[in-house]
Amino acid sequence: MVKFEVHDLNIWFSSIHALKQVNLEIRSNEILSVIGPANSGKTTFLRTLNRLNDLNAAFKMTGAVELERKDIRGIDIEELRRKIGMVFALPLPLPLSIFENVVYGVRMQGERNRKKLEEKTEQALRQAYLWEEVKGRMDESAFKLSGGQQQRLCIARTLAVDPEVILFDEPCSGLDPISTAKVEDAMVKLKEKYTIVLVTNNVKQAARVGDRTAFFLSGELIEIDATDKIFTAPQDKRTDGYIRGRFG
């Protein structure tokens, strides 16, 4: 089943043509790794999927992005962002307890039942591979957690509102190898229930977790294919050059 369809997508920020005639599909319950050098358009593409680019006054878009055959511009923005959660490069815990961080969005949706909030918290923290590390610390400040734990807490906060899609924007860029491995383990497990789009500068990470990989360069989608094919027999020499570290 196809989750997203992107048709003839062009994006400008003032006179800068950031994405050029992009066409692709994102399948349900896959991890799509998105790679490319700086200024390739990969983060702009990611932020298009939940309309975060709309916050930029210089943003202009042509073409269409459809979520399950519905143009995302026709979906209520709050509903769209509930369906499409996002985890950023730097963990951004709220200045609250671990528990209140996880249930923040659930409370915003109107849930007040303490038992249901506790159930949501445990479920989300288990999915984020964090429950065993924090289950006795629910009232502690989230700022007492390590960087890797904070990132997994942000994943749990995203999961608690029951999204359908999770967008990861370089989620391991500031993490040590052990924390990175835990986040990657969580992603692989989460694709059983969610569709995941991962923007990463780490081509090895893209190879480890992606079912398919898309390579962007200078705002263009150069190639998209099964990850093992992209990394062993790419169709375009520019893809091969980037993966081998010849540029970027």
Side-chain angles (χ1 to χ4, degrees):
M1 180 178 172
V2 174
K3 196 70 175 178
F4 284 100
E5 293 178 69
V6 179
H7 303 285
D8 300 330
L9 177 65
N10 286 273
I11 289 177
W12 292 264
F13 295 101
S14 296
S15 61
I16 298 170
H17 197 173
L19 285 179
K20 304 167 186 174
Q21 208 68 14
V22 174
N23 290 275
L24 61 79
E25 293 180 346
I26 301 173
R27 300 165 185 166
S28 297
N29 303 104
E30 77 167 346
I31 299 177
L32 176 66
S33 294
V34 181
I35 61 173
N39 300 314
S40 61
K42 57 189 187 294
T43 294
T44 296
F45 171 73
L46 193 75
R47 292 168 67 91
T48 301
L49 299 177
N50 68 347
R51 292 179 55 191
L52 273 180
N53 290 324
D54 294 23
L55 299 172
N56 188 323
F59 169 73
K60 178 187 172 187
M61 168 182 158
T62 62
V65 178
E66 296 180 355
L67 174 65
E68 294 181 339
R69 299 294 178 90
K70 294 180 181 177
D71 193 313
I72 61 171
R73 288 172 291 189
I75 301 174
D76 176 78
I77 194 71
E78 289 188 8
E79 175 67 9
L80 182 71
R81 290 183 185 154
R82 188 199 67 74
K83 289 184 174 184
I84 306 173
M86 189 160 186
V87 177
F88 296 91
L90 294 176
L92 298 169
L94 302 168
L96 300 168
S97 69
I98 293 169
F99 177 80
E100 290 297 337
N101 261 270
V102 178
V103 301
Y104 182 82
V106 183
R107 286 193 191 278
M108 293 288 285
Q109 292 177 352
E111 183 60 70
R112 296 290 179 266
N113 184 288
R114 179 75 184 188
K115 189 171 188 301
K116 288 184 178 178
L117 291 173
E118 289 174 350
E119 288 172 353
K120 279 277 189 188
T121 299
E122 180 175 348
Q123 179 186 28
L125 288 170
R126 285 188 182 280
Q127 287 181 301
Y129 281 51
L130 187 58
W131 173 251
E132 293 300 327
E133 297 168 45
V134 302
K135 61 184 178 183
R137 305 166 59 187
M138 288 293 106
D139 294 330
E140 284 188 20
S141 168
F143 294 138
K144 290 187 176 180
L145 298 176
S146 70
Q149 289 173 326
Q150 287 184 14
Q151 189 64 295
R152 282 178 283 146
L153 179 67
C154 292
I155 294 171
R157 189 174 67 206
T158 298
L159 295 172
V161 296
D162 295 324
E164 298 175 13
V165 179
I166 310 172
L167 310 178
F168 286 94
D169 188 9
E170 299 179 28
C172 302
S173 60
L175 303 186
D176 61 84
I178 292 173
S179 295
T180 294
K182 289 182 178 179
V183 171
E184 290 177 1
D185 287 345
M187 281 188 222
V188 171
K189 188 68 176 174
L190 288 170
K191 76 174 181 180
E192 295 174 9
K193 185 176 180 183
Y194 308 95
T195 298
I196 294 174
V197 185
L198 166 67
V199 162
T200 179
N201 284 325
N202 185 335
V203 293
K204 291 181 179 178
Q205 181 176 67
R208 284 193 298 265
V209 304
D211 296 296
R212 291 191 303 148
T213 295
F215 172 57
F216 281 75
L217 181 65
S218 301
E220 297 181 30
L221 173 62
I222 303 302
E223 190 169 352
I224 181 170
D225 211 329
T227 293
D228 58 354
K229 189 172 180 183
I230 286 283
F231 280 85
T232 58
Q235 297 297 303
D236 193 290
K237 64 182 181 180
R238 291 169 293 180
T239 309
D240 186 61
Y242 178 72
I243 288 169
R244 293 176 183 274
R246 294 191 188 122
F247 67 91

